[in-house]
């Protein structure tokens, strides 16, 4: 299928994303106006310690108007490789560094209206090595056992899509107790 961009204009330039409005010719010859959030790539992390705990963060998300339990994540800075971003974000959000990192998968978060592409990493061999966090983030770190984390996801207690997707990608690489 061929989609042709006829015009594109920036409606908004923000701190985290830009909003583009595009006129597109679709395969049937008709045109449509599409609003697209242009967002840099991002990473999500599944931090697993030697004791069998996954490190989550809890933070207030103003758009959702609630505190959300989620896996650490962050935006890839200009010129930064996704793996380098992952290693930076784990230190900023949990205060731990990771000696082992493994790419588990990658995906678009909401391709219907956003360009954001996410890389998911399993990080292990955690050691204290904090970096200052972002000034606008107020984070509480929570260690949750592997089994409890998956039970919480199945029960709907983890409501963050990237965290649920990351746990699914991590499942073959971490040991879950047999029920």
């Amino acid at each position: 299928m061929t989609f042709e961009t006829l015009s594109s204009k920036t409606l908004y330039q923000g701190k985290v994303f830009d909003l583009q409005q595009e006129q597109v010719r679709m395969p049937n010859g008709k045109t449509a106006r599409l609003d697209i959030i242009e967002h840099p790539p991002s990473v999500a992390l599944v931090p697993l310690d030697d004791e069998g705990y996954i490190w989550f963060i809890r933070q207030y998300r103003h758009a959702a108007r609630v505190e959300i339990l989620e896996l650490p994540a962050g935006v890839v800075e200009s010129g930064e490789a996704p793996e380098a971003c992952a290693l930076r974000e784990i230190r900023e959000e949990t205060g731990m560094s990771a000696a082992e990192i493994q790419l588990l998968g990658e995906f678009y978060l909401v391709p219907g209206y956003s360009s954001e592409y996410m890389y998911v990493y399993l990080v292990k061999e955690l050691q204290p090595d904090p970096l200052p966090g972002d000034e606008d983030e107020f984070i509480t770190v929570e260690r949750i056992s592997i089994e409890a984390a998956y039970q919480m996801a199945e029960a709907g207690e983890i409501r963050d899509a990237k965290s649920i997707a990351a746990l699914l990608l991590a499942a073959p690489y971490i040991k879950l107790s047999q029920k």
Side-chain angles (χ1 to χ4, degrees), residues 84-96:
C85 175
L87 293 171
R88 174 180 51 77
E89 285 291 341
I90 189 68
R91 292 178 64 203
E92 287 179 2
E93 295 199 351
T94 69
M96 304 297 279

Side-chain angles (χ1 to χ4, degrees), residues 8-22 34-41 63 108-117:
S8 180
K9 66 178 177 178
T10 301
L11 298 179
Y12 172 78
Q13 287 186 306
K15 174 183 166 188
V16 179
F17 63 85
D18 297 341
L19 177 60
Q20 300 289 116
Q21 187 173 80
E22 297 188 354
L34 302 176
D35 296 329
I36 300 167
I37 294 174
E38 294 288 343
H39 193 288
Y108 288 97
L109 281 164
V110 282
Y113 61 83
S114 175
S115 64
E116 186 174 0
Y117 193 75

Side-chain angles (χ1 to χ4, degrees), residues 27-85:
N28 65 2
K30 294 185 179 185
T31 61
R33 186 191 89 200
L34 302 176
D35 296 329
I36 300 167
I37 294 174
E38 294 288 343
H39 193 288
S42 58
V43 300
L45 312 166
V46 182
L48 179 63
D49 68 24
D50 294 339
E51 297 173 356
Y53 287 86
I54 298 173
W55 291 51
F56 285 83
I57 62 170
R58 187 176 297 277
Q59 67 178 322
Y60 177 76
R61 294 296 197 172
H62 192 69
R65 307 291 199 266
V66 295
E67 260 191 358
I68 293 184
L69 182 69
E70 59 189 274
L71 290 168
V75 175
V76 177
E77 294 178 357
S78 179
E80 184 179 42
E83 185 173 306
C85 175

